[in-house]
Amino acid sequence: MADLITVEDPDDPRLHDYTGLTDVELRRTREPVEGLFIAEGEKVIRRAKDAGYEMRSMLLSAKWVDAMRDVIDELPAPVYAVSPELAEQVTGYHVHRGALASMQRTPLPTAAELLRTARRVVILESVNDHTNIGAIFRSAAALGMDAVLLSPDCADPLYRRSVKVSMGAVFSVPYARLTSWPRDLESVREAGFTLLALTPDEKARSLDEAAPHRMDRVALMLGAEGAGLSTQALVAADEWVRIPMSHGVDSLNVGAAAAVAFYAVATGRPTGQDGASPPAP
């Protein structure tokens, strides 16, 4: 059973894991080096725990102690009970969900390990917005993608904002970092995957025409918001694909585009084989 410890000093060194959570540059560097990440909110904390991550500690406002009692009773890690005001002093923001947990990171698998068993893979290039990373992982989990591969400069999926936006889906979709970009794309192709680059370019085939759901193994490539995929990544792809647009809209947010493309990769169009709408249930 965890110890429930009341803390009243915002400078207490036991709260070190939770200091300065709004300092993005600091946390980007510090968390991987110290081997931790922060889970925020009851659902996300439970999902991290259920995914097998070891808990280092919890930081709770008083009203969340009862809600998290079953988790507290199972933990060997300390649980710090603090006032909402002290939590804000420590973290740098108002902790709306009232519950934070510091979790221990685990070693990432290699891309080769993931590619051995996957059939539907996402490859992200330079996606450095944590909100987009979280949204993409949530869609990947919901729509049946098997793994995510990240270029070296992609944002950290375990950064607090990414974890929160994904609602813990970053714990259920395995991911790996590619170490040499774009050279490692060739190793994905050698593993039997067709590389599809998602782009609004008019030369790209529509996802309906490309029919990725009929392909044996697919790696869907997505680029950063605005810039899209680099020229090098586009050249390395086997085929360019696009989402048809209407009403003069030229593109979607990368998180929204990912969800549409994942559905096409996993299941194809929501129509019957003859192109008609499916019968009502």
Side-chain angles (χ1 to χ4, degrees):
M1 181 183 298
D3 295 326
L4 187 61
I5 304 165
T6 299
V7 178
E8 298 179 346
D9 180 3
D11 296 320
D12 191 312
R14 292 174 295 183
L15 304 184
H16 173 74
D17 285 1
Y18 304 97
T19 57
L21 292 185
T22 57
D23 189 331
V24 177
E25 291 306 318
L26 172 66
R27 301 300 299 200
R28 273 178 178 167
T29 303
R30 182 178 145 197
E31 290 186 10
V33 170
E34 296 183 12
L36 66 93
F37 69 91
I38 299 297
E40 180 177 1
E42 179 184 1
K43 288 183 180 179
V44 173
I45 291 172
R46 291 182 182 278
R47 287 171 184 171
K49 176 179 170 290
D50 292 344
Y53 288 98
E54 179 184 350
M55 193 175 295
R56 295 160 59 111
S57 66
M58 270 202 296
L59 183 72
L60 300 177
S61 59
K63 71 176 183 178
W64 282 94
V65 171
D66 288 342
M68 300 296 291
R69 175 57 64 183
D70 60 316
V71 176
I72 294 171
D73 289 345
E74 294 178 1
L75 288 178
V79 179
Y80 303 115
V82 300
S83 68
E85 294 77 18
L86 189 136
E88 184 170 354
Q89 284 181 273
V90 172
T91 64
Y93 73 105
H94 180 63
V95 184
H96 297 281
R97 296 174 185 267
L100 296 169
S102 174
M103 313 296 296
Q104 189 71 40
R105 290 178 183 246
T106 57
L108 289 181
T110 66
E113 289 170 339
L114 296 184
L115 293 173
R116 286 192 196 107
T117 55
R119 292 188 61 248
R120 299 288 183 259
V121 171
V122 187
I123 301 178
L124 302 181
E125 181 189 28
S126 304
V127 179
N128 49 32
D129 181 277
H130 293 102
T131 298
N132 285 335
I133 286 283
I136 290 168
F137 267 85
R138 188 172 185 180
S139 293
L143 297 169
M145 303 301 285
D146 299 320
V148 178
L149 302 181
L150 306 170
S151 71
D153 55 349
C154 276
D156 180 10
L158 293 183
Y159 182 73
R160 179 178 60 89
R161 181 65 180 167
S162 301
V163 173
K164 182 178 178 180
V165 170
S166 79
M167 288 300 295
V170 293
F171 309 137
S172 58
V173 182
Y175 69 93
R177 283 202 181 268
L178 301 172
T179 56
S180 179
W181 186 268
R183 190 179 304 122
D184 282 344
L185 293 175
E186 184 56 36
S187 64
V188 179
R189 180 181 291 106
E190 289 172 353
F193 287 82
T194 301
L195 297 173
L196 300 182
L198 190 66
T199 172
D201 195 290
E202 292 181 356
K203 295 190 291 292
R205 282 210 297 168
S206 73
L207 281 165
D208 285 348
E209 294 171 338
H213 62 291
R214 300 182 189 277
M215 298 177 183
D216 183 43
R217 307 183 94 184
V218 175
L220 181 68
M221 301 161 57
L222 297 166
E225 188 79 19
L229 291 165
S230 66
T231 300
Q232 295 92 329
L234 290 169
V235 169
D238 294 310
E239 186 172 357
W240 297 4
V241 293
R242 61 182 175 84
I243 300 169
M245 299 286 161
S246 302
H247 300 292
V249 177
D250 60 355
S251 64
L252 297 173
N253 165 276
V254 66
V260 173
F262 294 165
Y263 185 83
V265 166
T267 62
R269 294 182 62 191
T271 59
Q273 290 184 349
D274 60 355
S277 297

